[in-house]
Amino acid sequence: DDSTEKIEACLIQEEEHENATLVRGEIAAIRARLATYDADARRSIELSRKALALLPADDRFFRSNVRRNLGLAYILTGDLSNAKQALEDAVSLDRQTGNVVSLASNLRRLAEIAKMQAQLHPAQKLLQQALDLTVDEYGHRLPIAFQALLSMGDLHREWNDLDGATEYIQQGIDLISPSIEVWTSGGYIYLSRIKYAQGDIEGAEQAIQKAKQLALESKFSELDDFYADLYQARLWLSQG
């Protein structure tokens, strides 16, 4: 963070630099993402808006990333209407650039919003679109598919298809590589919810403890710790 502050300070002093505005926009975008990882939604929204004001309209790649980040920040605040709009804008930009990885991720986020609004069938359609995008020429799942698989598993839990839910969740966990192990915590949160729905309270507690352990071991983000603590609290409350 110190290095980005020094870079930005230098650019502010050199207003005539032809790329100064672009770089300041990119710095704001990076800071916004870091604020989201720290679960600081207010600052993330502020920095995302700043980045969008500075980034050129034709920089679709960066603008998509900022829109996605803005959507995530709005989700943290509970503002699902603005979150949906931001993610729909990101999806539109991804389709223009052909960025399949980002597109699949943003479709999955839109599905999560639909699920929060009890729109389960629209959520399923969005997740299926994401899964259709994340296969190679031989029909094998690409690693990025893990996100949609985890969400699809949780959707099947909502429908009380617990065997199907478990299968999707396990497929998602198996696809998570060591480089993105931070997501494994989320997989075990989903698994805990399935165990609870099956009446396996001990298994649910074991899964959430695993999620908390992985979240603590990860230095990448505060979000995984936040969600692990949140779902553990819900588990305890559900038991009276």
Side-chain angles (χ1 to χ4, degrees), residues 44-111:
S44 179
I45 291 168
E46 176 186 327
L47 287 167
S48 294
R49 288 172 175 167
K50 178 180 179 181
L52 289 170
L54 292 169
L55 290 168
D58 61 355
D59 190 349
R60 296 182 181 87
F61 176 79
F62 244 104
R63 293 184 73 86
S64 170
N65 279 293
V66 175
R67 289 289 183 185
R68 177 173 65 229
N69 188 71
L70 189 58
L72 295 177
Y74 278 129
I75 289 173
L76 287 175
T77 68
D79 185 350
L80 299 186
S81 178
N82 275 321
K84 182 179 179 182
Q85 184 60 61
L87 288 165
E88 285 177 342
D89 290 344
V91 164
S92 176
L93 290 167
D94 291 336
R95 292 192 192 281
Q96 293 174 43
T97 60
N99 188 337
V100 173
V101 171
S102 181
L103 177 57
S105 179
N106 288 326
L107 286 170
R108 180 254 178 185
R109 289 293 183 185
L110 280 173

Side-chain angles (χ1 to χ4, degrees), residues 105-188:
S105 179
N106 288 326
L107 286 170
R108 180 254 178 185
R109 289 293 183 185
L110 280 173
E112 287 293 311
I113 292 175
K115 192 171 64 174
M116 292 176 194
Q117 297 174 323
Q119 298 172 358
L120 301 188
H121 288 289
Q124 183 188 35
K125 290 180 180 179
L126 288 164
L127 289 173
Q128 192 57 57
Q129 288 181 49
L131 289 173
D132 289 344
L133 287 167
T134 52
V135 292
D136 64 17
E137 58 185 311
Y138 303 106
H140 300 142
R141 291 280 179 217
L142 299 172
I144 189 61
F146 79 89
Q147 294 180 334
L149 288 167
L150 293 179
S151 291
M152 188 70 90
D154 198 51
L155 186 63
H156 278 257
R157 178 193 60 81
E158 294 272 6
W159 282 325
N160 206 35
D161 175 17
L162 303 183
D163 289 340
T166 302
E167 184 176 347
Y168 277 115
I169 296 295
Q170 195 58 59
Q171 286 181 37
I173 290 173
D174 290 344
L175 278 179
I176 298 173
S177 69
S179 62
I180 50 173
E181 202 170 48
V182 61
W183 272 92
T184 312
S185 175
Y188 279 99

Side-chain angles (χ1 to χ4, degrees), residues 1 5 31-32 35-36 40-48 73:
D1 191 63
E5 287 181 0
R31 285 178 167 168
T36 298
D40 188 347
R42 183 196 62 77
R43 178 162 172 75
S44 179
I45 291 168
E46 176 186 327
L47 287 167
S48 294

